[in-house]
């Protein structure tokens, strides 16, 4: 199929893009990498009157070291994150999750902001930013605001971004000293969206667990923070019994729907298994093992 007719404009900077949004919302859509939007246009699931192309705005593509966090521009390509030594060292969970996204050709075009703004429940980045407690810098013609990841996702393909706003930057906290992380997922084929996936970051001090962050994708109408599983690990540590209990808690926390790829019950069980795998790997890495 071909998309419904629309006007295409390519602003030269963020100010121009925000002016266009202000003047044409809610009938305008933003084009980032286009890996999700273009198929939706072709199937006429999205019918904007105006497409605002952000690809010419260089000021939205960057990875900056800001001391205790990284600032990543929304138009930063997934491939740039994959290749960044800064990301690999400062936020290894983000780097590992990026490697799980689709195929190389998709990562060459896809952007971190586009993925987050699209808010596909099975996508990797939403679970990662929820696990890391990132903040989203959202801009409009009237100013900017910050939204925590826990408040940003509001359901399948739905976020806190208003029609006249754009996601400009992602604030990503660096991994604390003594941390280890892991991103694990199961998909039917390499490059497919995950049936279930888990992002984990564990922080140890003298063998004690001082921090744990867990979030899942593919098992709800958005990324799911696994708070019950986290409490078990914080209370009982990372022994085999505690890790199994955390897996069972995670399976009970999620509320997936079944589809032609997997039943809801199967996705629940996968979530528990992925939590156990992620915790085991993250704890080994926190202890200096691979």
């Amino acid at each position: 199929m071909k998309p419904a007719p629309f006007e295409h404009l390519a602003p030269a900077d963020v100010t121009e893009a925000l002016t266009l949004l202000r003047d044409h919302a809610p009938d305008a859509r933003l084009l980032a990498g286009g890996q999700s939007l273009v198929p939706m246009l072709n199937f006429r699931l999205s019918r904007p009157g105006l497409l605002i192309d952000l690809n010419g705005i260089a000021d939205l593509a960057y990875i900056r070291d800001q001391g205790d966090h990284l600032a990543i521009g929304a138009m930063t390509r997934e491939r740039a994150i994959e290749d960044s030594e800064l990301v690999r060292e400062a936020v290894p969970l983000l780097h590992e999750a990026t490697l799980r996204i689709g195929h190389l050709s998709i990562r060459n075009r896809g952007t971190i902001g586009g993925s987050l703004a699209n808010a596909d429940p099975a996508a990797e980045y939403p679970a990662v930013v929820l696990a890391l407690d990132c903040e989203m810098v959202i801009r409009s013609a009237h100013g900017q605001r910050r939204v925590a990841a826990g408040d940003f996702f509001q359901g399948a393909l739905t976020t806190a971004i208003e029609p006249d706003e754009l996601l400009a930057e992602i604030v990503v906290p660096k991994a604390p000293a003594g941390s280890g992380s892991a991103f694990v997922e199961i998909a039917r084929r390499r490059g497919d969206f995950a049936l279930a996936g888990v992002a984990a970051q564990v922080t140890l001090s003298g063998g004690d667990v001082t921090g744990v962050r867990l979030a899942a994708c593919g098992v709800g109408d958005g990324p799911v923070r696994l708070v019950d599983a986290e409490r078990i690990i914080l209370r009982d540590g990372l022994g085999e019994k505690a890790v199994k209990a955390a897996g069972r808690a995670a399976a009970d926390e999620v509320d997936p729907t079944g589809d032609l790829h997997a039943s809801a019950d199967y996705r629940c069980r996968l979530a528990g298994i992925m939590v156990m795998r992620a915790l085991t790997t993250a704890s080994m890495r926190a202890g200096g093992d691979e």
Side-chain angles (χ1 to χ4, degrees), residues 144-155:
Q144 74 175 38
R145 59 191 179 105
R146 288 193 176 200
V147 178
D151 299 319
F152 181 76
F153 302 103
Q154 300 184 346

Side-chain angles (χ1 to χ4, degrees), residues 231-243:
R231 291 192 188 104
I232 290 171
I233 298 301
L234 283 171
R235 183 188 68 215
D236 299 334
L238 286 161
E240 182 179 355
K241 183 177 180 180
V243 169

Side-chain angles (χ1 to χ4, degrees), residues 93 124-134 149-150 153 173 181-183 198-202 212-216 223-226 230:
L93 178 57
E124 291 84 357
Y125 278 158
V128 170
V129 299
L130 186 60
L132 293 176
D133 198 24
C134 297
F153 302 103
S181 62
F183 189 94
V198 169
Q201 182 168 275
V202 173
V212 59
R213 306 280 302 189
L214 295 166
V224 182
R225 178 84 181 277
L226 302 172
E230 291 175 353

Side-chain angles (χ1 to χ4, degrees), residues 7-288:
E7 184 180 3
H8 174 269
L9 294 176
D13 54 39
V14 176
T15 299
E16 185 180 356
L18 293 175
T19 299
L20 289 171
L21 274 176
R22 181 196 63 196
D23 294 344
H24 295 277
D27 196 35
R29 289 293 304 271
L30 297 171
L31 175 65
Q35 301 306 290
S36 298
L37 179 58
V38 170
M40 292 175 68
L41 292 173
N42 287 338
F43 282 107
R44 301 200 175 194
L45 297 174
S46 181
R47 297 176 177 232
L50 172 64
L51 203 61
I52 302 173
D53 191 338
L54 302 179
N55 284 274
I57 305 179
D59 288 347
L60 286 176
Y62 53 84
I63 302 172
R64 297 172 183 160
D65 189 335
Q66 300 291 84
D68 63 348
H69 69 273
L70 300 185
I72 302 180
M75 284 297 293
T76 304
R77 307 289 174 185
E78 293 158 356
R79 181 65 167 167
I81 295 172
E82 177 180 345
D83 289 342
S84 170
E85 192 63 31
L86 177 58
V87 172
R88 187 194 302 265
E89 293 179 358
V91 195
L93 178 57
L94 178 61
H95 176 263
E96 184 174 6
T98 302
L99 300 176
R100 304 287 189 270
I101 297 174
H103 301 282
L104 181 58
S105 57
I106 290 174
R107 299 195 297 275
N108 278 336
R109 290 297 305 167
T111 65
I112 184 171
S115 176
L116 294 173
N118 188 53
D120 192 300
E124 291 84 357
Y125 278 158
V128 170
V129 299
L130 186 60
L132 293 176
D133 198 24
C134 297
E135 286 188 317
M136 315 300 159
V137 179
I138 300 173
R139 293 184 58 181
S140 73
H142 309 293
Q144 74 175 38
R145 59 191 179 105
R146 288 193 176 200
V147 178
D151 299 319
F152 181 76
F153 302 103
Q154 300 184 346
L157 307 181
T158 306
T159 71
I161 301 174
E162 298 293 340
D164 64 342
E165 295 179 321
L166 63 78
L167 176 60
E169 182 179 280
I170 301 90
V171 177
V172 186
K174 292 182 179 179
S179 294
S181 62
F183 189 94
V184 296
E185 66 180 24
I186 288 182
R188 290 172 60 88
R189 298 172 301 180
R190 179 176 175 81
D192 284 1
F193 276 124
L195 298 177
V198 169
Q201 182 168 275
V202 173
T203 305
L204 303 180
S205 177
D208 296 326
V209 179
T210 58
V212 59
R213 306 280 302 189
L214 295 166
C217 62
V219 289
D221 62 359
V224 182
R225 178 84 181 277
L226 302 172
V227 294
D228 291 342
E230 291 175 353
R231 291 192 188 104
I232 290 171
I233 298 301
L234 283 171
R235 183 188 68 215
D236 299 334
L238 286 161
E240 182 179 355
K241 183 177 180 180
V243 169
K244 287 183 177 179
R248 291 192 295 270
D252 291 337
E253 282 187 86
V254 299
D255 186 24
T257 56
D259 55 29
L260 58 88
H261 299 300
S263 68
D265 180 66
Y266 183 59
R267 289 181 190 270
C268 287
R269 287 186 284 130
L270 282 181
I273 293 169
M274 293 299 97
V275 162
M276 290 188 287
R277 290 183 182 178
L279 284 171
T280 300
T281 301
S283 63
M284 289 175 58
R285 291 172 175 172

